Amino acid sequence: MSHEADFFESFRGRLEAIAYRMLGSAGDAEDVVQDTFLRWHAADRELIETPEAWLTKVLTNLCLSQLGSARVRRETYVGQWLPEPVLAGDRMLGPADTAEQRESVSLAMLTLMERLSPNERAVYVLREAFGYPHREIAEILDLTEVNCQQVYRRAKQHLAAGRSRGVVDSGVAEKIVQGFLAATLSGDTEPLVRLLTDDAVSVADGGGRIRARRTPVVGAPDIARYLAHVFRPTDAKRAILGGINPVFHAVVVNGGPALLIQAGERIFGVICLDVGPGGVEAIRLQVNPDKLERFTRQWAAAGPQPPLVATW
């Protein structure tokens, strides 16, 4: 039993990475991986010829069930839904050796994948991010190989608008975030307008737990005014932060630059920037505390980091 548990643990990181891409939620990914372990523990392993394939099939089917119920839940979700951000270095992100693997875990792509059917998403993730051959994917999903190839082509067509930004290192991310933070804290909207593309979009996810704008903000001037209001210090905002002034950190999240907002030991928000050739194209503000739990644990485990700004 110890050997079998050790084998599962050696494969857990890969399962988590598949589940996270499938579900867009690190918390849900942890849950389905644990359910997979329970089924592995209870299975007659003498009947399992290829453990890796068996685990992947069980996990994928659990994810498909989860996606079905998640769609129902999101119909009543308060405000805008965004994927759960994951800090650089977290094994949940999985392999990042190729452009396809890096793109598959970007927040932009995880958001786009919400438009796919569960089967399309499973085929796309297994093929694009993990290189499974269509024959194996077909066996996992109980499809024919030809049908699997057709599903993959449809998924790619649905995601044609997604564009890879690559992965930035911490130094590049810090410079991007420094410029963004300086512009938002300046009190002047013009510097922020210059950083944004004309058709930039800003989306906030409070999940009904934290007050957040429930509709996207579109266009550089409107986003600049919106963010100037968000970052303007007030007594009410300080009260929400527990009377503690926030500190701001530049971090890499899902392969892209992001701004972390922290007060005391609590992370209040992660603002992810999608940067293209013309500037910042999209801003995703994650303030739903349910979606910051794993991020907070990973950030604490990394140890103290020097902030960009320690006063507000």
Side-chain angles (χ1 to χ4, degrees):
M1 292 299 295
S2 175
H3 171 73
E4 290 158 353
D6 289 344
F7 171 80
F8 185 90
E9 289 305 316
S10 71
F11 204 59
R12 182 184 288 272
R14 183 178 181 86
L15 294 174
E16 286 183 347
I18 293 172
Y20 175 62
R21 285 167 168 81
M22 284 280 291
L23 303 174
S25 165
D28 289 345
E30 288 178 321
D31 290 343
V32 296
V33 169
Q34 190 59 27
D35 285 347
T36 302
F37 171 74
L38 294 176
R39 298 189 183 207
W40 166 255
H41 181 71
D44 183 351
R45 279 173 290 280
E46 290 185 0
L47 301 177
I48 299 175
E49 295 182 4
T50 310
E52 294 91 339
W54 188 92
L55 289 171
T56 304
K57 183 180 180 69
V58 170
L59 176 89
T60 301
N61 284 317
L62 287 170
C63 286
L64 292 174
S65 297
Q66 184 80 356
L67 281 172
S69 60
R71 286 176 183 271
V72 175
R73 293 198 306 271
R74 285 171 198 168
E75 290 177 359
T76 58
Y77 193 81
V78 178
Q80 300 293 305
W81 181 93
L82 288 174
E84 183 175 341
V86 176
L87 187 64
D90 191 322
R91 70 182 184 185
M92 191 75 70
L93 294 173
D97 299 324
T98 67
E100 291 78 14
Q101 288 172 334
R102 294 190 292 270
E103 183 181 42
S104 70
V105 81
S106 70
L107 290 179
M109 183 55 69
L110 290 173
T111 302
L112 279 173
M113 282 198 285
E114 288 296 301
R115 67 178 63 174
L116 301 180
S117 71
N119 264 7
E120 287 173 342
R121 188 161 185 167
V123 171
Y124 183 83
V125 166
L126 292 173
R127 178 66 177 169
E128 198 80 356
F130 295 91
Y132 281 85
H134 285 295
R135 176 182 55 79
E136 292 185 21
I137 299 173
E139 291 174 358
I140 289 170
L141 296 174
D142 295 324
L143 302 172
T144 67
E145 187 171 348
V146 171
N147 193 7
C148 182
Q149 292 169 339
Q150 292 171 340
V151 171
Y152 177 64
R153 282 195 294 271
R154 285 201 305 269
K156 293 206 69 169
Q157 289 169 357
H158 291 321
L159 299 175
R163 291 162 290 177
S164 174
R165 298 292 175 227
V167 174
V168 303
D169 62 30
S170 58
V172 172
E174 183 166 342
K175 290 179 181 178
I176 293 171
V177 174
Q178 280 178 336
F180 174 79
L181 182 60
T184 55
L185 292 179
S186 69
D188 183 1
T189 59
E190 188 56 34
L192 191 52
V193 169
R194 290 197 297 267
L195 287 178
L196 302 167
T197 61
D198 292 341
D199 58 351
V201 179
S202 176
V203 180
D205 181 347
R209 297 285 312 282
I210 295 291
R211 185 178 178 182
R213 185 182 174 105
R214 298 188 181 186
T215 57
V217 186
V218 181
D222 286 346
I223 292 174
R225 287 190 290 271
Y226 165 64
L227 290 176
H229 170 74
V230 168
F231 278 83
R232 186 176 298 120
T234 65
D235 291 340
K237 291 172 187 172
R238 287 193 176 92
I240 292 173
L241 298 174
I244 303 172
N245 275 337
V247 294
F248 303 93
H249 298 269
V251 291
V252 178
V253 173
N254 291 72
L259 176 67
L260 182 153
I261 304 169
Q262 183 176 16
E265 307 213 346
R266 181 177 170 188
I267 293 175
F268 279 85
V270 176
I271 301 177
C272 302
L273 309 177
D274 189 0
V275 182
V280 177
E281 298 178 345
I283 301 171
R284 296 176 178 85
L285 298 88
Q286 185 56 260
V287 294
N288 183 344
D290 294 338
K291 296 185 181 182
L292 294 174
E293 291 180 358
R294 182 183 178 92
F295 196 103
T296 299
R297 295 197 303 270
Q298 297 296 319
W299 179 251
Q305 306 290 327
L308 294 177
V309 177
T311 58
W312 186 46

